[in-house]
Amino acid sequence: MTPPMEYRSEIDKCYSLAGIALGLMVFDAKDLLSLVDIDSEQIAIFTPQFYFEGNPRISAKDSWQARYANFQIKMGLAIASTMSRKMILDHGEVDKKLRRRLLDAMLIEGNACCQLDEDEVEPLFDREFAHLVNFFSRGNVRKVAAQIAQTIQQRRTISGGEICDMLANLDF
């Protein structure tokens, strides 16, 4: 999945990763994160379950449902990463143009992984987007995102388990 925004700086990457960590918490998927490394080309490494594309040993229905669930998480993480960068780091908002770029990326991803059409992806996107705008607008979330980003920048590489521990110990 290609991010709809290029990284402008190291701190921008850190806020992106903070958004991903918080998104994983929101979507109860913290166990899918394996590692974050701001010095790597792939700054977030996920577990194999995150990349599930099917298995001939399970039914087509179960396989599709697993891919659909992962698509929902991918969408949420893309939105959360972008919101962390724009709303918290930049003290701004996700404008219509950036929102459209996010939606376009999710339309491609939804079609590729689940054969979803625009009329199936867009309502899901709208719901996730609205939910995450509310989440990232909270003052305590801004504080926690800044703490996570600062820790990532200082440590450079952090395991998924350590990210989970950090989230559990932060003040929500």
Side-chain angles (χ1 to χ4, degrees):
M1 183 170 60
T2 305
M5 287 174 45
E6 296 295 322
Y7 297 114
R8 302 169 305 217
S9 65
E10 181 176 282
I11 195 67
D12 192 42
K13 282 183 183 182
C14 294
Y15 272 86
S16 175
L17 288 167
I20 289 170
L22 290 166
L24 287 166
M25 184 194 71
V26 166
F27 298 109
D28 195 26
K30 294 179 295 214
D31 59 323
L32 295 177
L33 184 63
S34 183
L35 179 79
V36 298
D37 181 354
I38 61 171
D39 297 315
S40 175
E41 191 170 314
Q42 185 177 353
I43 62 171
I45 309 292
F46 295 93
T47 64
Q49 180 184 352
F50 182 78
Y51 301 105
F52 177 83
E53 292 188 12
N55 182 335
R57 294 181 185 201
I58 64 173
S59 73
K61 179 182 176 184
D62 289 343
S63 179
W64 185 88
Q65 287 175 333
R67 288 191 323 270
Y68 182 72
N70 283 349
F71 166 68
Q72 289 179 293
I73 292 168
K74 287 177 188 177
M75 179 187 306
L77 297 183
I79 297 168
S81 169
T82 303
M83 287 189 177
S84 180
R85 296 164 71 191
K86 293 300 289 178
M87 294 176 69
I88 298 174
L89 177 62
D90 295 346
H91 304 287
E93 61 184 40
V94 177
D95 61 27
K96 288 180 182 180
K97 183 178 176 182
L98 180 55
R99 185 183 187 286
R100 185 68 218 189
R101 286 174 44 205
L102 271 169
L103 175 57
D104 288 345
M106 294 304 100
L107 290 170
I108 293 166
E109 185 74 19
N111 186 270
C113 75
C114 303
Q115 296 77 43
L116 297 174
D117 293 326
E118 184 172 350
D119 64 331
E120 296 167 305
V121 174
E122 195 163 1
L124 178 62
F125 178 88
D126 291 342
R127 186 179 72 232
E128 301 289 345
F129 191 90
H131 177 68
L132 289 167
V133 165
N134 289 334
F135 178 76
F136 280 97
S137 296
R138 294 171 35 195
N140 61 339
V141 172
R142 292 174 179 273
K143 179 181 168 189
V144 167
Q147 289 174 315
I148 293 169
Q150 181 180 28
T151 301
I152 292 169
Q153 187 175 31
Q154 290 170 349
R155 296 209 21 220
R156 318 296 295 170
T157 302
I158 304 175
S159 74
E162 290 174 294
I163 293 282
C164 288
D165 291 344
M166 248 195 304
L167 291 168
N169 292 326
L170 291 172
D171 181 29
F172 265 109

mmCIF file of all heavy atoms in Angstrom, residues 10 13-14 17 36-44 152-158:
data_model
loop_
_atom_site.group_PDB
_atom_site.id
_atom_site.type_symbol
_atom_site.label_atom_id
_atom_site.label_comp_id
_atom_site.label_asym_id
_atom_site.label_seq_id
_atom_site.Cartn_x
_atom_site.Cartn_y
_atom_site.Cartn_z
ATOM 1 N N GLU A 10 12.089 13.269 9.167
ATOM 2 C CA GLU A 10 12.123 12.161 10.118
ATOM 3 C C GLU A 10 10.985 12.264 11.128
ATOM 4 O O GLU A 10 10.337 11.271 11.457
ATOM 5 C CB GLU A 10 13.475 12.164 10.838
ATOM 6 C CG GLU A 10 13.633 11.041 11.822
ATOM 7 C CD GLU A 10 15.011 11.034 12.436
ATOM 8 O OE1 GLU A 10 15.949 10.567 11.763
ATOM 9 O OE2 GLU A 10 15.137 11.490 13.594
ATOM 10 N N LYS A 13 7.801 11.026 9.710
ATOM 11 C CA LYS A 13 7.719 9.559 9.759
ATOM 12 C C LYS A 13 7.295 9.097 11.149
ATOM 13 O O LYS A 13 6.490 8.173 11.292
ATOM 14 C CB LYS A 13 9.079 8.921 9.443
ATOM 15 C CG LYS A 13 9.459 8.878 8.015
ATOM 16 C CD LYS A 13 10.787 8.138 7.885
ATOM 17 C CE LYS A 13 11.298 8.113 6.481
ATOM 18 N NZ LYS A 13 12.552 7.352 6.384
ATOM 19 N N CYS A 14 7.859 9.722 12.170
ATOM 20 C CA CYS A 14 7.546 9.326 13.544
ATOM 21 C C CYS A 14 6.077 9.560 13.875
ATOM 22 O O CYS A 14 5.442 8.722 14.526
ATOM 23 C CB CYS A 14 8.446 10.074 14.522
ATOM 24 S SG CYS A 14 10.185 9.627 14.377
ATOM 25 N N LEU A 17 4.038 6.891 12.185
ATOM 26 C CA LEU A 17 4.078 5.645 12.963
ATOM 27 C C LEU A 17 3.250 5.752 14.240
ATOM 28 O O LEU A 17 2.604 4.786 14.647
ATOM 29 C CB LEU A 17 5.516 5.267 13.283
ATOM 30 C CG LEU A 17 6.315 4.761 12.085
ATOM 31 C CD1 LEU A 17 7.805 4.702 12.410
ATOM 32 C CD2 LEU A 17 5.808 3.396 11.645
ATOM 33 N N VAL A 36 8.626 -1.315 14.221
ATOM 34 C CA VAL A 36 8.737 -0.022 13.543
ATOM 35 C C VAL A 36 10.211 0.347 13.515
ATOM 36 O O VAL A 36 10.943 0.098 14.465
ATOM 37 C CB VAL A 36 7.898 1.099 14.208
ATOM 38 C CG1 VAL A 36 6.422 0.774 14.165
ATOM 39 C CG2 VAL A 36 8.341 1.385 15.624
ATOM 40 N N ASP A 37 10.633 0.910 12.387
ATOM 41 C CA ASP A 37 12.045 1.264 12.194
ATOM 42 C C ASP A 37 12.111 2.466 11.253
ATOM 43 O O ASP A 37 11.915 2.329 10.050
ATOM 44 C CB ASP A 37 12.797 0.073 11.600
ATOM 45 C CG ASP A 37 14.274 0.336 11.376
ATOM 46 O OD1 ASP A 37 14.732 1.491 11.571
ATOM 47 O OD2 ASP A 37 14.986 -0.604 10.991
ATOM 48 N N ILE A 38 12.381 3.642 11.816
ATOM 49 C CA ILE A 38 12.357 4.844 10.979
ATOM 50 C C ILE A 38 13.551 4.936 10.034
ATOM 51 O O ILE A 38 13.546 5.763 9.130
ATOM 52 C CB ILE A 38 12.231 6.142 11.808
ATOM 53 C CG1 ILE A 38 13.402 6.324 12.764
ATOM 54 C CG2 ILE A 38 10.914 6.190 12.525
ATOM 55 C CD1 ILE A 38 13.413 7.684 13.436
ATOM 56 N N ASP A 39 14.536 4.073 10.219
ATOM 57 C CA ASP A 39 15.689 4.093 9.320
ATOM 58 C C ASP A 39 15.551 3.111 8.163
ATOM 59 O O ASP A 39 16.412 3.052 7.292
ATOM 60 C CB ASP A 39 16.977 3.793 10.108
ATOM 61 C CG ASP A 39 17.252 4.871 11.149
ATOM 62 O OD1 ASP A 39 17.121 6.060 10.804
ATOM 63 O OD2 ASP A 39 17.572 4.521 12.296
ATOM 64 N N SER A 40 14.461 2.358 8.131
ATOM 65 C CA SER A 40 14.228 1.375 7.084
ATOM 66 C C SER A 40 13.327 1.975 6.001
ATOM 67 O O SER A 40 12.565 2.908 6.256
ATOM 68 C CB SER A 40 13.551 0.146 7.691
ATOM 69 O OG SER A 40 13.192 -0.782 6.706
ATOM 70 N N GLU A 41 13.426 1.419 4.804
ATOM 71 C CA GLU A 41 12.530 1.867 3.731
ATOM 72 C C GLU A 41 11.079 1.540 4.079
ATOM 73 O O GLU A 41 10.175 2.315 3.815
ATOM 74 C CB GLU A 41 12.926 1.202 2.412
ATOM 75 C CG GLU A 41 12.233 1.818 1.224
ATOM 76 C CD GLU A 41 12.809 1.331 -0.085
ATOM 77 O OE1 GLU A 41 14.039 1.302 -0.229
ATOM 78 O OE2 GLU A 41 12.002 0.958 -0.954
ATOM 79 N N GLN A 42 10.857 0.358 4.660
ATOM 80 C CA GLN A 42 9.520 -0.027 5.133
ATOM 81 C C GLN A 42 9.501 0.250 6.637
ATOM 82 O O GLN A 42 10.005 -0.550 7.421
ATOM 83 C CB GLN A 42 9.242 -1.499 4.831
ATOM 84 C CG GLN A 42 7.842 -1.904 5.184
ATOM 85 C CD GLN A 42 7.543 -3.349 4.824
ATOM 86 O OE1 GLN A 42 8.341 -4.017 4.197
ATOM 87 N NE2 GLN A 42 6.388 -3.821 5.236
ATOM 88 N N ILE A 43 8.916 1.379 7.030
ATOM 89 C CA ILE A 43 9.034 1.827 8.414
ATOM 90 C C ILE A 43 8.160 1.043 9.388
ATOM 91 O O ILE A 43 8.417 1.064 10.583
ATOM 92 C CB ILE A 43 8.777 3.339 8.546
ATOM 93 C CG1 ILE A 43 7.364 3.711 8.117
ATOM 94 C CG2 ILE A 43 9.823 4.131 7.775
ATOM 95 C CD1 ILE A 43 6.975 5.156 8.417
ATOM 96 N N ALA A 44 7.146 0.367 8.893
ATOM 97 C CA ALA A 44 6.285 -0.465 9.744
ATOM 98 C C ALA A 44 6.245 -1.867 9.155
ATOM 99 O O ALA A 44 5.911 -2.048 7.987
ATOM 100 C CB ALA A 44 4.879 0.115 9.833
ATOM 101 N N ILE A 152 9.751 7.046 19.425
ATOM 102 C CA ILE A 152 10.201 6.409 18.186
ATOM 103 C C ILE A 152 11.420 7.134 17.635
ATOM 104 O O ILE A 152 12.400 6.496 17.225
ATOM 105 C CB ILE A 152 9.060 6.357 17.144
ATOM 106 C CG1 ILE A 152 7.957 5.400 17.605
ATOM 107 C CG2 ILE A 152 9.589 5.952 15.768
ATOM 108 C CD1 ILE A 152 6.676 5.469 16.792
ATOM 109 N N GLN A 153 11.389 8.454 17.645
ATOM 110 C CA GLN A 153 12.527 9.210 17.120
ATOM 111 C C GLN A 153 13.789 8.961 17.941
ATOM 112 O O GLN A 153 14.882 8.822 17.389
ATOM 113 C CB GLN A 153 12.212 10.705 17.086
ATOM 114 C CG GLN A 153 13.292 11.502 16.381
ATOM 115 C CD GLN A 153 12.945 12.961 16.228
ATOM 116 O OE1 GLN A 153 12.243 13.528 17.062
ATOM 117 N NE2 GLN A 153 13.446 13.572 15.168
ATOM 118 N N GLN A 154 13.646 8.845 19.240
ATOM 119 C CA GLN A 154 14.802 8.619 20.104
ATOM 120 C C GLN A 154 15.351 7.200 19.960
ATOM 121 O O GLN A 154 16.560 7.006 19.891
ATOM 122 C CB GLN A 154 14.438 8.871 21.570
ATOM 123 C CG GLN A 154 14.199 10.320 21.886
ATOM 124 C CD GLN A 154 13.604 10.518 23.269
ATOM 125 O OE1 GLN A 154 13.177 9.574 23.935
ATOM 126 N NE2 GLN A 154 13.561 11.768 23.707
ATOM 127 N N ARG A 155 14.463 6.228 19.900
ATOM 128 C CA ARG A 155 14.898 4.821 19.907
ATOM 129 C C ARG A 155 15.160 4.262 18.523
ATOM 130 O O ARG A 155 15.822 3.247 18.388
ATOM 131 C CB ARG A 155 13.852 3.969 20.634
ATOM 132 C CG ARG A 155 13.763 4.403 22.099
ATOM 133 C CD ARG A 155 13.365 3.389 23.095
ATOM 134 N NE ARG A 155 13.530 2.018 22.772
ATOM 135 C CZ ARG A 155 12.649 1.069 23.075
ATOM 136 N NH1 ARG A 155 11.537 1.381 23.683
ATOM 137 N NH2 ARG A 155 12.873 -0.179 22.776
ATOM 138 N N ARG A 156 14.568 4.839 17.484
ATOM 139 C CA ARG A 156 14.761 4.458 16.082
ATOM 140 C C ARG A 156 14.034 3.177 15.684
ATOM 141 O O ARG A 156 13.369 3.130 14.679
ATOM 142 C CB ARG A 156 16.242 4.316 15.712
ATOM 143 C CG ARG A 156 17.179 5.356 16.246
ATOM 144 C CD ARG A 156 16.955 6.722 15.758
ATOM 145 N NE ARG A 156 17.193 6.877 14.329
ATOM 146 C CZ ARG A 156 16.873 7.968 13.675
ATOM 147 N NH1 ARG A 156 16.325 8.968 14.299
ATOM 148 N NH2 ARG A 156 17.099 8.075 12.389
ATOM 149 N N THR A 157 14.195 2.104 16.443
ATOM 150 C CA THR A 157 13.573 0.810 16.161
ATOM 151 C C THR A 157 12.878 0.322 17.423
ATOM 152 O O THR A 157 13.491 0.313 18.494
ATOM 153 C CB THR A 157 14.627 -0.229 15.725
ATOM 154 O OG1 THR A 157 15.301 0.262 14.571
ATOM 155 C CG2 THR A 157 13.995 -1.566 15.417
ATOM 156 N N ILE A 158 11.614 -0.073 17.290
ATOM 157 C CA ILE A 158 10.841 -0.557 18.437
ATOM 158 C C ILE A 158 9.997 -1.738 17.984
ATOM 159 O O ILE A 158 9.361 -1.690 16.926
ATOM 160 C CB ILE A 158 9.921 0.550 19.010
ATOM 161 C CG1 ILE A 158 10.745 1.790 19.392
ATOM 162 C CG2 ILE A 158 9.149 0.036 20.215
ATOM 163 C CD1 ILE A 158 9.904 2.959 19.853
#
